[in-house]
Amino acid sequence: MVKGELKVEKVYFTYPSRLNVPVLQGLSLSIQSGQTLALVGPSGCGKSTVVSLLERMYDPNKGVLKFDGESLQSLNVQWLRSQIGLVSQEPVLFDTSIAYNIRYGTSFREVSDEEVEMAAKAANIHNFIITLPQDYNMNVGSKGTQLSGGQKQRVAIARALVRDPKILLLDEATPSLDSESEKIVQEALDSARKGRTSVVIAHRLSTIHIADCIAVIKDGVVIEAGTHNQLMEWKGAYYKLNKAQSL
């Protein structure tokens, strides 16, 4: 049975196009099944690189990433990716129906109308879709121009959920939305994480206070890790990041 435990053990990584710029320099992380791990830190510290490595877009130069105790490199890539749902900062929607855009989340099996609707409900977008003249058959336009930023993001969440993934990767999934849209999207993300192992990259620290573990990354290594309350009590790097955002 797939549990969804993740481990990153002493991983070193440099992008092939920038061999003289080390990104990860011995980074280690661990996350139990069903927990949420948040990654924070300055731009370029390696947060998004961790997500890329978990998806097997790259392999580490040194060290190992594990899924349920097995090295990612020993697993079938298609199977691994079928266990992962990704919601990124800029969702790519296609010039076709809402239903097709949601179905696109899984290419390894047929997806029923009921599954599309269930995913939309979980992503907090179903009630909006059924108010449209063509509901799920509405064309979203090129790059989703017929939808607002928050609506596009929730369609992208539904796309990630339609495969019922064990792992959810959220790479800055609440981008520059207005406060009301951000609240709706955040509620959808909170619902989506239930029962799944989640790795969250967030610049807005207010969105990750409830994470089971928050890891602060600097220069490719974890310099602090703990709950929000623990890190605030320690008054270290995370505390300083929070204070800077509250100014």
Side-chain angles (χ1 to χ4, degrees):
M1 188 180 85
V2 179
K3 293 185 288 185
E5 294 179 353
L6 295 174
K7 280 193 176 182
V8 180
E9 299 180 346
K10 298 180 180 178
V11 164
Y12 291 77
F13 179 75
T14 303
Y15 284 101
S17 60
R18 293 177 290 162
L19 293 175
N20 61 337
V21 184
V23 180
L24 301 182
Q25 304 187 69
L27 184 135
S28 294
L29 294 164
S30 180
I31 177 169
Q32 299 300 308
S33 175
Q35 289 190 336
T36 294
L37 168 69
L39 306 179
V40 303
S43 297
C45 70
K47 303 185 298 294
S48 293
T49 299
V50 173
V51 169
S52 294
L53 291 173
L54 288 171
E55 288 187 284
R56 282 291 309 278
M57 296 300 180
Y58 302 92
D59 288 327
N61 304 129
K62 187 179 176 182
V64 63
L65 294 93
K66 293 181 178 179
F67 184 121
D68 287 353
E70 300 290 333
S71 166
L72 295 195
Q73 288 174 267
S74 71
L75 301 175
N76 176 277
V77 174
Q78 185 177 13
W79 178 86
L80 173 66
R81 291 176 182 166
S82 75
Q83 303 299 315
I84 295 173
L86 172 68
V87 183
S88 58
Q89 183 172 355
E90 294 293 337
V92 177
L93 299 189
F94 302 100
D95 191 4
T96 183
S97 68
I98 292 174
Y100 179 88
N101 272 284
I102 294 174
R103 276 195 174 90
Y104 189 79
T106 178
S107 59
F108 45 86
R109 64 177 178 84
E110 291 294 320
V111 177
S112 68
D113 292 343
E114 290 75 16
E115 287 177 290
V116 169
E117 190 172 306
M118 284 176 60
K121 287 178 178 177
N124 205 7
I125 190 70
H126 171 75
N127 289 343
F128 163 73
I129 294 172
I130 60 176
T131 67
L132 302 170
Q134 293 177 286
D135 53 77
Y136 282 87
N137 293 316
M138 174 190 158
N139 190 301
V140 302
S142 177
K143 298 182 180 179
T145 52
Q146 298 301 310
L147 301 177
S148 70
Q151 290 158 359
K152 285 194 289 186
Q153 204 67 3
R154 283 181 284 154
V155 170
I157 295 168
R159 175 192 289 169
L161 294 181
V162 77
R163 63 176 60 192
D164 193 20
K166 283 291 182 183
I167 306 290
L168 202 56
L169 305 178
L170 308 175
D171 190 352
E172 190 53 41
T174 52
S176 301
L177 303 174
D178 61 80
S179 57
E180 184 61 30
S181 295
E182 182 183 14
K183 179 183 176 183
I184 295 170
V185 170
Q186 191 59 49
E187 287 173 354
L189 292 171
D190 291 343
S191 175
R193 288 203 305 264
K194 291 177 182 175
R196 295 184 171 89
T197 305
S198 302
V199 179
V200 182
I201 294 174
H203 294 296
R204 299 186 192 186
L205 302 184
S206 60
T207 65
I208 57 163
H209 287 179
I210 61 172
D212 297 288
C213 181
I214 300 169
V216 183
I217 300 175
K218 183 179 180 183
D219 297 331
V221 295
V222 175
I223 60 170
E224 283 183 346
T227 65
H228 169 76
N229 289 339
Q230 287 172 332
L231 294 173
M232 290 300 286
E233 286 177 9
W234 297 344
K235 295 191 175 175
Y238 179 78
Y239 176 86
K240 292 173 183 175
L241 287 171
N242 264 276
K243 289 302 179 184
Q245 286 198 2
S246 64
L247 292 176

